[in-house]
Amino acid sequence: MARPLVTWQLFLKASSLQRKRAVLTVAAIAWGTVAILMLLAFGQGLREQLMRGRRGMGENIAVVWPGETSKIWEGLPTGRAIRPRMEDIEYLRHRIPDVRFVGEITSWSTTLSYGRKTITGRVTGTNWEYGDLRNHYPQPGGRFLNPLDEIEKRRVAFVGDAMAKEIFGSENPVGRILQINRAPYLVIGVMQHKLQMGAYGGPDEDHVVVPITTFSAQLGRQRLNNIVFKVDRPGQMVGAIQRFRQVLGKKYRFDPQDKQVLGIWDTVRGARIMDNITIGIRLFLGIVGALTLLVGSVGVANIMYAVVKEKTREIGVQMALGARRGWVTGPIVMQGLVYTLLGGATGLLIAVVLVMLIGLVPTAGNQALEFLGKPTLSWPIAAATAAILGTLGILSGYFPARRAAGINPAETLRYE
Amino acid sequence: MNWPSLRKSNGGPPSSNGRIIEMNNVRKVYDTGKVRVEALRGIDLSVAEGEFVAVVGPSGSGKSTLLNLLGCLDTPTDGRYLLAGDPVADLDRDGLAEIRNRRVGFVFQNFNLLPQLTALENVEMPLLFGGVGGRKRRERARDLLERVGLGDRLEHKPTELSGGQMQRVAVARALAMDPAVILADEPTGNLDTTSGVDVLTLLSELWRQGSTLVVVTHDPALAERAQRVVEIRDGLVVADSRNGSTSH
Ligand SMILES: Nc1ncnc2c1ncn2[C@@H]1O[C@H](COP(=O)(O)OP(=O)(O)O)[C@@H](O)[C@H]1O
Ligand SMILES: [Mg+2]
């Protein structure tokens, strides 16, 4: 036993009288720590899931719909339909080289058949770069469209995973012939399953993708249903949209300020809002956890108050013998801290085990669980919790210690 | 009983002209909000180095209050107090703690030993607060306990000691920092006659070896052994007798 800590030892002996309460309080702190860690961990898991889901459609992209003019421009009337054409993609790429463009020709109720199975579904004719822009990655053994498919107008199809299951069942679709409006297409790949939150027209797992050139020829259509473009960094999106409107405005003669001509869904902006929402959620969860901890700390402080009250005479004796305030307060503050950190360490251990156990629960197939994501503990969460615990620990000892320091030895030692 | 030498001479306190205690017109008012008690109403008292002063008087006359002020456990409402030549009026709480640690040794009627600690650890406490290192501290504490006749009780807790033994531990503790004055408030008040005589003999021995003592007592035997008797009534010194001859 360290001799210089006789008073410390004294206080430990004193607190053992409060053992039952101490155990309860450490448990309360542990519970608070578990609560704050789990809440933050779920918040983190949710955040990561949202980010993944958001990226599911594509990162830093904007989606464009055609519309009608609502402003008079260069003597032309309002209400003119502006429908960009397939060759505008090349034109846009040429005029705005640092932004990547693809066009889409969509056909909704298309007959899709394989063998005896026939369904109606959505088919998208698009450029080969679409795979990267819109996160269409092939499952092993398949591929997405390539430049030659587009140039040679090949009849090849890339199938969404849900649709593949519906048409082909348990068969491997790659290498089979899929009839699209009674024209035979060779299936070259099936999309890897992905979590997707945003969508237009429908989820990506539910459509078939074919080369835009092939599809345009088959349908005899030149007009695009959508244009999708992608910037490298989120900050470039506003400028890209502006230039996009100017380039097409010049070509089709409409006011670049006219928002009705082209509907543009800027996913970067949506993402920022989503970020703020998740920050809000996590802040809320963190505050709830912190309040739980605070309640535990009040418990610690109460124990220390009880110890001080019980030991008033002994503290008075120590003061009479020449103990400075630090001698009296130090052990109390230390003890509050020790109780709190003990509870915190216990809570951390429990939380880690819980997170691991929850990680073992299978979520595939259960949409609600899949959306919720897995709770994730991170260093920032641990650091924040440790900081809160440390602060509360010191405070829970500080106030009782202050009371102890205020003891008047003469009054305490009065003997009648 | 023959006590071996307990006091190592420290050459006397500085700049006090042999006066350990110098009190002028000291007043103490307890104001609890509802009641206002004037416990001391103008005390003049001076104690020279090496004196053995007994403070007597009826219950409630202010003896304990006086002793607490002398020991810097409390501060006067009014008046001047020099302890070993130094004014203590302007000291903060830590400053007073240091004075109590170095200049004063307390002995209480109810011993006030720390119950969780052994006799040795109890005597170590003032040394601990005075910053005396571990080995030296234990040696000094053991020394002191041996000198008060408790060399075989070092590891005993207060509850395992008799009243007389506890008070001897308390005396050893009071001596630990070699204080300028030992203040005892009815040190035999809680003891049976034999133990009381023991403690009394111990205190007399300390005095003979050069300690300055101020002892509050009801015990005529104790007052008799003192060199000087100060009588207090209603917060005032009403008599100050020396060697049997009374003077005001
Ligand atoms: N802390 C206190 N608060 C209020 N009154 C006190 C306090 N201490 C002592 N007194 C009062 O001061 C007077 C002197 O008390 P005390 O010095 O203890 O007397 P004695 O020791 O001579 O019996 C008494 O009337 C007592 O009630
Ligand atoms: Mg008294």
Side-chain angles (χ1 to χ4, degrees):
Chain A
M1 194 185 329
R3 283 285 170 169
L5 293 176
V6 174
T7 44
W8 176 220
Q9 167 203 346
L10 187 80
F11 266 82
L12 273 186
K13 284 174 178 170
S15 65
S16 66
L17 298 172
Q18 300 277 342
R19 186 167 289 152
K20 205 164 175 185
R21 288 185 67 186
V23 167
L24 285 175
T25 303
V26 168
I29 292 279
W31 159 240
T33 309
V34 170
I36 193 172
L37 283 174
M38 290 312 289
L39 290 171
L40 288 175
F42 267 111
Q44 178 80 13
L46 183 64
R47 189 179 107 97
E48 281 175 12
Q49 201 69 343
L50 286 176
M51 268 160 69
R52 211 175 295 135
R54 196 166 74 208
R55 289 199 195 106
M57 198 176 82
E59 225 178 336
N60 300 333
I61 62 171
V63 182
V64 184
W65 284 266
E68 293 179 352
T69 57
S70 67
K71 289 182 180 172
I72 294 171
W73 183 254
E74 293 177 351
L76 294 166
T78 62
R80 281 185 305 128
I82 304 295
R83 298 285 304 273
R85 302 164 63 86
M86 217 167 75
E87 64 265 26
D88 290 336
I89 297 300
E90 269 317 307
Y91 180 67
L92 283 163
R93 286 173 178 170
H94 176 69
R95 297 296 306 270
I96 315 173
D98 53 330
V99 178
R100 295 158 68 191
F101 290 92
V102 294
E104 291 182 35
I105 295 174
T106 312
S107 167
W108 271 272
S109 303
T110 313
T111 311
L112 303 166
S113 45
Y114 169 71
R116 294 217 187 118
K117 180 95 181 170
T118 298
I119 61 165
T120 46
R122 181 164 50 101
V123 178
T124 306
T126 189
N127 307 93
W128 65 271
E129 294 93 334
Y130 183 87
D132 253 357
L133 260 73
R134 293 272 286 93
N135 281 358
H136 282 50
Y137 297 110
Q139 289 175 10
R143 64 171 180 87
F144 192 70
L145 309 178
N146 66 25
L148 277 179
D149 294 335
E150 199 176 320
I151 295 166
E152 296 181 356
K153 301 185 187 172
R154 288 176 180 166
R155 293 202 182 190
V156 289
F158 181 87
V159 190
D161 50 320
M163 181 156 290
K165 195 160 252 165
E166 201 183 342
I167 299 172
F168 297 96
S170 55
E171 270 184 77
N172 181 4
V174 176
R176 318 256 170 219
I177 301 298
L178 175 67
Q179 304 284 337
I180 300 178
N181 277 351
R182 279 180 291 283
Y185 280 76
L186 175 68
V187 176
I188 53 169
V190 176
M191 193 179 78
Q192 269 180 30
H193 181 68
K194 67 180 181 184
L195 191 72
Q196 182 184 0
M197 282 172 186
Y200 55 98
D204 293 345
E205 61 183 14
D206 253 350
H207 74 159
V208 178
V209 182
V210 298
I212 192 167
T213 46
T214 320
F215 206 44
S216 167
Q218 185 183 353
L219 298 180
R221 265 162 58 179
Q222 293 289 312
R223 307 277 183 190
L224 299 173
N225 293 84
N226 293 106
I227 295 171
V228 178
F229 60 86
K230 177 180 169 78
V231 292
D232 289 335
R233 280 174 290 111
Q236 301 168 327
M237 187 52 97
V238 173
I241 289 173
Q242 222 165 17
R243 279 184 294 155
F244 174 75
R245 283 208 163 97
Q246 276 160 2
V247 168
L248 280 194
K250 195 129 194 177
K251 180 163 182 198
Y252 286 98
R253 299 176 70 196
F254 62 81
D255 184 351
Q257 308 300 324
D258 187 349
K259 299 282 192 273
Q260 304 291 311
V261 181
L262 300 163
I264 299 183
W265 175 17
D266 174 0
T267 65
V268 171
R269 229 180 111 214
R272 206 173 302 125
I273 292 167
M274 200 62 147
D275 270 346
N276 289 340
I277 291 173
T278 47
I279 286 173
I281 291 174
R282 293 197 307 156
L283 208 64
F284 172 76
L285 294 179
I287 287 171
V288 169
L291 284 179
T292 315
L293 266 186
L294 191 67
V295 171
S297 294
V298 170
V300 172
N302 269 334
I303 286 198
M304 302 315 295
Y305 272 124
V307 169
V308 168
K309 194 173 171 195
E310 200 172 306
K311 299 285 143 187
T312 299
R313 174 169 280 268
E314 279 147 46
I315 292 168
V317 172
Q318 293 182 1
M319 285 174 161
L321 299 179
R324 288 156 167 266
R325 267 169 309 177
W327 273 103
V328 173
T329 55
I332 300 173
V333 174
M334 279 287 283
Q335 206 173 3
L337 197 60
V338 165
Y339 277 148
T340 308
L341 294 185
L342 207 65
T346 312
L348 178 66
L349 209 71
I350 294 172
V352 166
V353 170
L354 276 180
V355 165
M356 269 165 51
L357 286 181
I358 292 172
L360 295 178
V361 175
T363 56
N366 185 330
Q367 290 212 322
L369 283 181
E370 197 174 356
F371 179 80
L372 205 59
K374 300 275 189 191
T376 310
L377 285 173
S378 65
W379 285 113
I381 290 178
T385 310
I388 293 172
L389 277 172
T391 310
L392 287 177
I394 287 171
L395 288 181
S396 67
Y398 170 77
F399 289 103
R402 217 176 53 160
R403 175 172 296 179
I407 286 174
N408 177 349
E411 202 138 320
T412 310
L413 298 175
R414 234 157 72 87
Y415 183 82
E416 301 293 336
Chain B
M1 232 181 286
N2 186 26
W3 304 102
S5 171
L6 284 165
R7 196 166 186 278
K8 287 185 231 145
S9 176
N10 60 356
S15 66
S16 55
N17 297 327
R19 293 244 169 273
I20 300 289
I21 283 162
E22 188 80 66
M23 258 188 178
N24 296 103
N25 200 24
V26 162
R27 299 189 328 114
K28 179 69 184 178
V29 179
Y30 292 111
D31 202 342
T32 56
K34 277 200 197 106
V35 278
R36 195 170 170 282
V37 181
E38 231 183 319
L40 299 178
R41 302 191 291 150
I43 298 275
D44 294 310
L45 181 68
S46 96
V47 176
E49 190 181 356
E51 267 193 305
F52 182 174
V53 181
V55 178
V56 298
S59 182
S61 56
K63 305 183 296 294
S64 295
T65 303
L66 174 63
L67 213 69
N68 286 346
L69 293 187
L70 289 176
C72 295
L73 266 185
D74 212 343
T75 46
T77 312
D78 207 358
R80 200 172 70 102
Y81 175 34
L82 301 181
L83 175 60
D86 297 325
V88 295
D90 299 328
L91 291 174
D92 63 2
R93 291 181 64 112
D94 279 350
L96 290 173
E98 178 144 4
I99 293 279
R100 290 195 293 269
N101 184 245
R102 298 191 182 283
R103 296 246 188 274
V104 183
F106 283 102
V107 177
F108 303 94
Q109 179 172 0
N110 56 336
F111 325 124
N112 277 331
L113 298 177
L114 296 168
Q116 296 90 350
L117 305 185
T118 63
L120 191 73
E121 288 169 332
N122 264 291
V123 179
E124 278 185 55
M125 280 311 247
L127 297 161
L128 177 75
F129 299 140
V132 178
R135 181 186 295 267
K136 224 176 138 194
R137 192 169 72 225
R138 236 157 306 139
E139 255 166 35
R140 172 117 176 106
R142 189 178 299 121
D143 245 25
L144 286 162
L145 282 170
E146 270 164 16
R147 288 174 187 183
V148 299
L150 291 175
D152 55 346
R153 295 285 189 278
L154 300 180
E155 298 301 330
H156 288 233
K157 296 271 176 74
T159 46
E160 299 156 359
L161 298 170
S162 72
Q165 287 170 331
M166 281 198 269
Q167 198 60 305
R168 278 190 271 155
V169 173
V171 170
R173 182 177 69 179
L175 290 169
M177 290 296 285
D178 201 3
V181 62
I182 290 171
L183 304 172
D185 196 346
E186 313 212 16
T188 59
N190 272 15
L191 300 178
D192 59 73
T193 318
T194 329
S195 308
V197 169
D198 257 16
V199 169
L200 204 56
T201 312
L202 174 55
L203 290 174
S204 307
E205 194 59 35
L206 289 177
W207 172 54
R208 282 223 335 264
Q209 287 164 15
S211 285
T212 311
L213 293 144
V214 178
V215 183
V216 168
T217 188
H218 275 123
D219 184 353
L222 203 159
E224 217 150 87
R225 296 229 195 174
Q227 182 187 28
R228 176 181 164 197
V229 178
V230 172
E231 192 180 343
I232 298 211
R233 237 172 242 276
D234 289 334
L236 287 170
V237 176
V238 293
D240 192 341
S241 54
R242 210 176 284 263
N243 302 328
S245 69
T246 310
S247 70
H248 279 273

